[in-house]
Amino acid sequence: MIVEYLNKIAAIIWGPPLIGLLLGTGIYLCFISRFWQFRHFIDSFKYCFFPSNDNNDKDFRLTQYKAASTAIAASIGAGNIGGVASAIALGGPGVLFWMWVCALIGMITKMAEITLSVYYRETDSEGKHRGGPLYYMQKGVGKRFKGWKILAVLFSIGICSQMFVAPDTFTVGEAISELTGTNPIYGSLFFAVMCWVVILGGLKRVVNFAAIMMPLMSSLYLIFGLYVIAINYQNIPDTIYLVVRSAFTPTAAVGGFVGSTMMLGLRTGIERGLYTNEAGWGTSPMIQSTAENNHPVEQGMWGIVEVFITTMIVCTITALVVLVTGEWSSGEAGATLTIRAFAHGLGDFAPYFICIVLFLFCWTTSAGWFTFILGIIEFAFKNHVIMRERMARILKFIVPGFGLLIAILINVWNIKLTYAWLMVSFTSALPTLTNCIALLLLSKTFIAIVADYEGAKKLWGLRDYDKEQVDC
């Protein structure tokens, strides 16, 4: 009964207006940029992973990589394993199709976010860069809309409220409990302690940690996921057909699956796609904008790569494993469903594998989200250094602490996992709404920056004549 009520609320929040705004923003950016993310798709990967040495030394490139690794590591978490499985269990196989749509469109959205964040960022007295949606809301939207502070406050509330949901801690506890048979609280407690180990070292330790862990955990998951899909290769054609068909027609009840409407599948796919790649959410730019670069578009290309890795690769691996093994209709959800699916290829090793990978994914996600919330604090108290430092110290303790508290409440009150993921839907809607409005208002500036990159030989001379160039 409660699940049905929460689903109705989520359907209103993630209804046609917000879905239309999210997709519409991406589609609009696609057209005005002449589908930049597809025209320069190969170039983006070459630039990010096979950079030339022109005008760049090793440390310069490494700085960009670390910033992007932190953003990618923060995106790849519980949503890519337990979240994708729960989405399919709720909305059916068609969810995967809409996640693909969200990712393909979201690549340009993420690129625009990062590009604008680098363009409007600030540099403090120590030479450190700070940027993100709050900065382009203030400096960019503020030129056109006096009420920019409303957008900024709502965006900040939405991002910070993620602390009070914290799906990673209880998801890891669930996986460890499934493996060991112990109370999930113990696994969540161990996870929280390990998060403190990283976060208490500050931003430098978080960034260095993410740079090492991101390629390791992604490669590990990719290899074993492809193995399970490969040994079930005979089911791949039917699975692809099922995904496409279910995206446009209702999915009938089968096994433990209760059935789904097309709208539920679309909404769940778009919402969970956003959660996994965070395109339009405005989180990634807060760390990406701290990197050194010659031009905003250079860092923006990392956004294209980030969305492709998180959704088109990692989430697709999870979804296909769940679908080709037939476990999607078992009635299970979350990490438990993913474990059961991987067991079809990995046998008794599956629970250990998912537990390890999930722990790594969520570990880096929690560390990454610390940097996002830290970015909110740095903006709010940028003129009050002492208060900013005090708030940053407090944040190091409360980020893992809230996750542990939520995990304990879920266990004590015996709250179903479905409730928790529905709460994630609520917390992701507010920053998405405000950020997309800001992106639309600054879309001409984004195109001018892209034109400057492509036509002015990376001179980055736009800032001095921003208003004149955009308004003409």
Side-chain angles (χ1 to χ4, degrees), residues 63-73 214 287-288 299 302 306:
T63 302
Q64 282 190 319
Y65 170 75
K66 285 184 177 181
S69 293
T70 305
I72 295 173
M214 188 277 290
I287 186 65
Q288 293 265 26
Q299 199 66 34
W302 273 104
E306 180 183 334

Side-chain angles (χ1 to χ4, degrees), residues 208-223:
N208 289 333
F209 170 71
I212 296 172
M213 295 303 299
M214 188 277 290
L216 174 63
M217 66 185 189
S218 300
S219 299
L220 186 67
Y221 193 66
L222 178 63
I223 292 170

Side-chain angles (χ1 to χ4, degrees), residues 5 10 37 80 83 125 134 144 160 168 185 189 211 215 250 282 290 344 346 390 397 416 460:
Y5 180 70
Q37 76 274 36
N80 300 75
S125 58
L134 293 176
R144 303 159 174 80
C160 292
D168 300 293
I185 291 180
L189 176 61
T290 64
H344 282 254
L346 304 183
R390 288 177 180 175
F397 290 94
K416 291 184 179 180
W460 196 356

Side-chain angles (χ1 to χ4, degrees), residues 340-398:
R340 289 185 55 164
F342 269 88
H344 282 254
L346 304 183
D348 294 337
F349 178 64
Y352 296 93
F353 169 71
I354 293 299
C355 189
I356 293 171
V357 172
L358 184 62
F359 184 91
L360 295 178
F361 279 17
C362 293
W363 197 12
T364 56
T365 296
S366 295
W369 267 86
F370 161 75
T371 68
F372 299 157
I373 300 174
L374 179 62
I376 300 290
I377 290 176
E378 289 177 340
F379 179 86
F381 299 100
K382 60 182 177 181
N383 296 322
H384 305 279
V385 179
I386 296 177
M387 181 61 70
R388 185 179 70 213
E389 292 177 350
R390 288 177 180 175
M391 292 296 293
R393 285 196 293 269
I394 294 174
L395 184 67
K396 293 178 182 180
F397 290 94
I398 66 175

